[in-house]
Amino acid sequence: REDRNLAEASRWVSHSRDVLETSGSLRSHLSDAGIARRMFLQGDRKQIDAFDAAARASLADFKTLRSLIADNKDQQRRLDRLEPVLNGRLEVLKKSIAAHTEGANDEALQEALTEQSTRLVAQFVEQTREFENVEREFLRQRSTLAEESARRTSQAYLILSLSVFCFIIIASVGLNRELSRRKQTERAIAKQKTLLQSILDTCNDA
């Protein structure tokens, strides 16, 4: 039973770590998308592919994150609030790249889009921090439960080992006593046979 409890506790610890790792990956990919957009505006045309890859990875991370917290309604609501911010940030970046691709004098537009993107980033960071703080608290609680379960499992194994050891000692002592009694009985029987034989040997014939 303790083994099963430990396995379950360890599974939830791994689950929380997966959620935090996926959330970190989402933040990283979204940041990569912003960097690609900035470098594209500076003249690096190859950054369009990098931006597309980062945007796809961000959406994939968000989808994975939603599936991971499907069992937690509170975290689902936090993701519901985060989703439009994520999509809005990507849309602003796409709009900025598209406007620059058209080749028009878009300095004022780019400044406006940059300001909008900055506000969305601030919202994204704040909501992501809230989401991750909740998950870190889950991780702390689940790690504590896993440690307690591991301690109980170790104690159970220790008790079981001691019980088996004591059983072996008791069984060995009992077996030795039984063997000793058998040997004593065999010696007594041999002694009686010797006595009877000596008596028969000294008797006259009928």
Side-chain angles (χ1 to χ4, degrees):
R1 185 177 68 252
E2 292 299 340
D3 274 339
R4 290 195 298 270
N5 292 339
L6 177 57
E8 183 68 11
S10 299
R11 185 180 72 83
W12 281 110
V13 169
S14 298
H15 177 272
S16 289
R17 287 176 177 165
D18 289 342
V19 170
L20 289 172
E21 289 177 2
T22 304
S23 181
S25 177
L26 171 60
R27 287 187 286 104
S28 177
H29 285 136
L30 190 60
S31 176
D32 290 343
I35 293 172
R37 172 255 185 181
R38 185 170 62 251
M39 294 180 67
F40 175 79
L41 295 182
Q42 293 173 356
D44 188 353
R45 312 291 293 185
K46 296 180 180 178
Q47 291 300 317
I48 291 182
D49 293 337
F51 170 80
D52 290 338
R56 287 194 300 270
S58 298
L59 295 175
D61 286 337
F62 187 84
K63 183 178 180 180
T64 301
L65 202 57
R66 187 174 285 281
S67 66
L68 285 172
I69 54 92
D71 62 305
N72 190 316
K73 292 183 179 180
D74 290 336
Q75 290 291 67
Q76 285 180 13
R77 283 192 289 270
R78 292 184 178 91
L79 284 189
D80 289 339
R81 295 194 298 268
L82 183 63
E83 186 172 13
V85 179
L86 170 64
N87 292 331
R89 161 79 165 160
L90 292 175
E91 285 302 318
V92 168
L93 295 178
K94 289 178 182 178
K95 189 181 298 184
S96 174
I97 291 174
H100 190 73
T101 302
E102 293 174 357
N105 186 10
D106 56 357
E107 183 175 348
L109 175 61
Q110 292 297 344
E111 289 180 359
L113 291 174
T114 298
E115 183 179 351
Q116 184 179 357
S117 176
T118 302
R119 288 197 302 269
L120 289 170
V121 167
Q123 293 178 11
F124 181 84
V125 170
E126 181 181 355
Q127 294 182 19
T128 302
R129 184 184 297 116
E130 179 186 357
F131 176 86
E132 291 182 350
N133 286 340
V134 172
E135 202 62 38
R136 288 191 185 95
E137 178 61 20
F138 285 150
L139 178 60
R140 186 191 66 78
Q141 295 174 1
R142 290 165 177 173
S143 296
T144 300
L145 290 175
E147 291 172 359
E148 293 176 354
S149 182
R151 184 165 55 253
R152 289 195 301 269
T153 301
S154 298
Q155 292 173 351
Y157 274 119
L158 178 61
I159 293 172
L160 179 61
S161 299
L162 290 175
S163 299
V164 172
F165 180 71
C166 291
F167 173 78
I168 292 174
I169 291 178
I170 293 172
S172 299
V173 171
L175 182 60
N176 287 334
R177 288 182 178 178
E178 181 64 23
L179 291 175
S180 177
R181 283 197 295 269
R182 286 189 179 185
K183 288 181 180 180
Q184 290 177 359
T185 302
E186 290 175 355
R187 284 196 295 269
I189 292 174
K191 186 176 181 181
Q192 289 178 357
K193 284 183 177 181
T194 301
L195 177 61
L196 291 174
Q197 188 62 44
S198 64
I199 292 174
L200 291 176
D201 290 341
T202 57
C203 287
N204 295 327
D205 291 338

